[in-house]
């Protein structure tokens, strides 16, 4: 397995040794605009000869706290640059808007973050961008490409079945086609487990709300890639105004310091939880890429250095069986989302897909009514497993 980033990287990568005021952490700078000494300084700023970062004339174009976090995330992802947004969806939608125009075509996979698909099919569709949905198989991309295809969007791993896309194949299918870019939402992987840019993926996006910030207390998103592509997203951010607040950036930057510690622990805990569940009589099926039974296990082993902190499983007894487990566990809180220090549990059929019929859920989005998504936090694995054991024991009665 490829080693990605270490805790030393998480603490230090992209962070200059000396900060303003000789502070240990990057100080947070709360300002909506920036002053100039005199008119000559404005001219120098406009001409690009002023030492201040070129964007920092007004808060919508840049902020030193956000900039520092962007540089650290770019260093962790191994990309030239990164740009922060107010949420993961702000990052995803701005990147897609920046790379497409009327008449273009976008390819995305059938297992895709629901709002990304909603945006591509409905919002982009309104602006004359067409799209195709392909099955979870990088080989399927080639057949869907047209002369108008500008973007292929994948996720690694996906929600909630933790499917993995073959990044090498994905990049190979995009190669040699003028203007075609690949984008991977690596929120579930984090740079600890997988760095898509190291496979040649053009743009890597994250909901920083999840693992990067890691404490369930802030929303944020980031787009990483070459300087040229990231600057397209940054310029559009200046127009759309979906900027990351410096206070949010400070929290994301603080969370990043413990990213590798947290994710390595979550990888180990989730694997132990998945192995426990797979042997349990009350469980029909477990989805975890670290298990040999997962359809993408071999691929995950080849392209990831850990399998993440989310385990999905189908409880016998359908809707009610899953509901009993969710309601009976004592440690995890019932909530959507994942990636933070607290364990969270939810039943996708109720949380995200309740308006569909059971048949639609099964056939259109592959969500079984008995499916539970369990996101481990940094709790002790034995405690989480004992808790699940008592909840599942009850569910059989
Ligand atoms: C949560 C999530 C998003 C959206 O991020 P927000 O910060 O909630 O806007 C996008 N993609 C994936 C894979 C996610 O899990």
């Amino acid at each position: 397995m490829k080693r990605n980033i270490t805790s030393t990287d998480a603490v230090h990568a992209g962070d200059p040794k000396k900060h303003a005021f000789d502070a240990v952490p990057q100080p947070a700078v709360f300002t909506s605009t920036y002053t100039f000494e005199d008119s000559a300084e404005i001219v120098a700023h406009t001409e690009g000869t002023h030492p201040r970062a070129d964007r920092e004339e007004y808060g919508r174009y840049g902020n030193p706290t956000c900039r520092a976090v962007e540089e650290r995330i770019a260093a962790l992802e191994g990309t030239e640059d990164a740009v922060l947004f107010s949420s993961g969806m702000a990052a995803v939608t701005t990147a897609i808007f920046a790379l497409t125009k009327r008449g273009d075509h976008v390819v995305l996979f059938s297992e895709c973050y629901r709002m990304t698909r909603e945006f591509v099919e409905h919002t982009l569709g309104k602006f004359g961008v067409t799209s195709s949905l392909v099955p979870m198989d990088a080989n399927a991309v080639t057949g869907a490409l047209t002369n108008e295809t500008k973007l292929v969007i994948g996720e690694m791993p996906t929600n909630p079945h933790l499917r993995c896309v073959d990044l090498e194949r994905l990049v190979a299918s995009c190669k040699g086609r003028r203007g075609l870019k690949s984008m991977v939402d690596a929120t579930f992987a984090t740079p600890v487990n997988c760095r898509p840019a190291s496979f040649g993926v053009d743009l890597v996006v994250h909901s920083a709300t999840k693992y990067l910030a890691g404490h369930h207390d802030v929303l944020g998103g980031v787009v990483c890639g070459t300087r040229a592509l990231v600057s397209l997203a940054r310029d559009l951010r200046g127009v759309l105004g979906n900027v990351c607040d410096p206070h949010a950036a400070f929290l994301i930057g603080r969370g990043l310091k413990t990213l590798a510690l947290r994710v390595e622990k979550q990888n180990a805990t989730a694997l132990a939880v998945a192995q426990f569940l797979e042997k349990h009589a009350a469980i029909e099926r477990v989805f975890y890429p670290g298990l040999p039974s997962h359809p993408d296990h071999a691929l995950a082993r080849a392209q990831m250095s850990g399998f993440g902190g989310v385990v999905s499983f189908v409880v016998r007894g359908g809707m009610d069986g899953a509901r009993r487990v969710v309601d009976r566990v004592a440690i995890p809180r019932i909530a959507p989302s994942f990636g933070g220090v607290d364990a969270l549990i939810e039943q996708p059929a109720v949380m995200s897909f309740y308006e569909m019929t059971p048949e639609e859920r099964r056939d259109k989005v592959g969500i079984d009514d008995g499916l539970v998504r369990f996101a481990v936090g940094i709790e002790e694995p034995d405690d989480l497993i004992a808790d699940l054991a008592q909840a599942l024991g009850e569910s059989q009665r």
Side-chain angles (χ1 to χ4, degrees):
M1 267 187 234
K2 277 170 87 107
R3 174 122 203 187
N4 287 291
I5 62 156
T6 64
S7 266
T8 310
D9 300 322
V11 177
H12 295 290
D15 198 17
K17 203 156 180 193
K18 190 170 167 59
H19 294 150
F21 312 112
D22 296 321
V24 175
Q26 285 269 6
V29 179
F30 298 119
T31 186
S32 59
T33 189
Y34 303 88
T35 61
F36 292 89
E37 191 70 28
D38 52 24
S39 303
E41 208 181 47
I42 299 183
V43 172
H45 175 81
T46 313
E47 288 177 347
T49 55
H50 190 275
R52 195 160 69 205
D54 63 339
R55 293 298 168 139
E56 288 161 15
E57 85 183 48
Y58 180 65
R60 189 160 21 78
Y61 305 124
N63 173 282
T65 309
C66 296
R67 186 66 202 138
V69 174
E70 290 168 353
E71 281 169 2
R72 289 173 52 203
I73 296 176
L76 296 178
E77 280 295 349
T79 55
E80 278 177 11
D81 203 358
V83 54
L84 276 178
F85 289 87
S86 54
S87 68
M89 281 317 296
V92 168
T93 56
T94 306
I96 299 174
F97 258 145
L99 294 182
T100 53
K101 60 176 193 324
R102 184 206 314 265
D104 288 348
H105 175 249
V106 172
V107 173
L108 66 171
F109 291 94
S110 58
E111 184 145 316
C112 175
Y113 189 71
R114 202 165 167 215
M115 289 300 138
T116 301
R117 179 170 168 184
E118 163 83 25
F119 172 76
V120 169
E121 292 184 339
H122 298 113
T123 313
L124 268 194
K126 276 201 313 196
F127 294 97
V129 177
T130 56
S131 59
S132 304
L133 211 58
V134 298
M136 278 305 306
D137 175 1
N139 291 323
V141 169
T142 313
L145 297 178
T146 71
N147 289 336
E148 280 70 47
T149 311
K150 288 291 148 51
L151 191 59
V152 178
I153 304 169
E155 279 167 42
M156 179 78 166
T158 64
N159 175 36
H161 297 107
L162 305 158
R163 297 298 310 272
C164 300
V165 77
D166 187 330
L167 298 174
E168 273 168 20
R169 287 233 170 103
L170 180 70
V171 167
S173 11
C174 296
K175 219 179 176 105
R177 293 197 170 240
R178 254 178 76 90
L180 174 58
K181 304 287 180 213
S182 54
M183 173 170 137
V184 168
D185 180 335
T187 300
F188 273 74
T190 82
V192 179
N193 289 336
C194 181
R195 295 195 295 171
S198 70
F199 293 87
V201 168
D202 297 302
L203 281 175
V204 181
V205 297
H206 285 275
S207 166
T209 311
K210 318 293 170 47
Y211 293 101
L212 300 188
H215 293 73
H216 316 282
D217 51 10
V218 64
L219 291 165
V222 64
V223 175
C224 314
T226 59
R227 228 176 288 289
L229 287 178
V230 167
S231 74
L232 293 177
R234 184 180 287 113
D235 290 346
L236 190 52
R237 181 186 71 171
V239 176
L240 297 176
N242 45 5
V243 287
C244 186
D245 179 85
H247 187 255
F250 180 80
L251 290 175
I252 295 166
R254 181 153 87 167
L256 281 175
K257 297 268 176 179
T258 55
L259 178 69
L261 264 185
R262 288 183 283 109
V263 172
E264 279 160 16
K265 172 132 191 171
Q266 285 165 310
N267 286 340
T269 304
L271 181 61
V273 164
Q275 286 165 342
F276 160 78
L277 289 170
E278 196 163 49
K279 285 188 253 137
H280 200 287
I283 302 297
E284 211 168 285
R285 183 158 182 204
V286 181
F287 298 91
Y288 188 68
L291 293 178
S293 59
H294 190 276
D296 302 321
H297 179 63
L299 180 60
R301 281 180 64 93
Q303 300 192 347
M304 299 177 76
S305 53
F307 308 110
V310 176
V311 183
S312 296
F313 55 96
V314 178
V315 183
R316 292 195 198 283
M319 186 66 99
D320 293 339
R323 183 172 295 184
R324 271 196 298 273
V325 174
V326 168
D327 289 345
R328 280 178 178 164
V329 285
I331 299 172
R333 297 168 199 281
I334 303 174
S337 197
F338 59 91
V341 290
D342 294 34
L344 300 178
I345 196 163
E346 61 140 329
Q347 188 179 359
V350 178
M351 186 68 79
S352 312
F353 300 95
Y354 193 63
E355 73 288 358
M356 295 183 178
T357 65
E359 292 70 34
E360 279 178 326
R361 278 196 288 268
R362 196 188 51 228
D363 302 339
K364 280 199 187 156
V365 287
I367 304 286
D368 192 290
D369 281 355
L371 187 74
V372 173
R373 191 181 74 181
F374 184 38
V376 305
I378 59 166
E379 300 90 348
E380 293 311 321
D382 290 352
D383 293 335
L384 293 178
I385 289 170
D387 190 20
L388 279 168
Q390 69 71 24
L392 287 166
E394 296 285 314
S395 78
Q396 282 173 305
R397 262 175 228 158

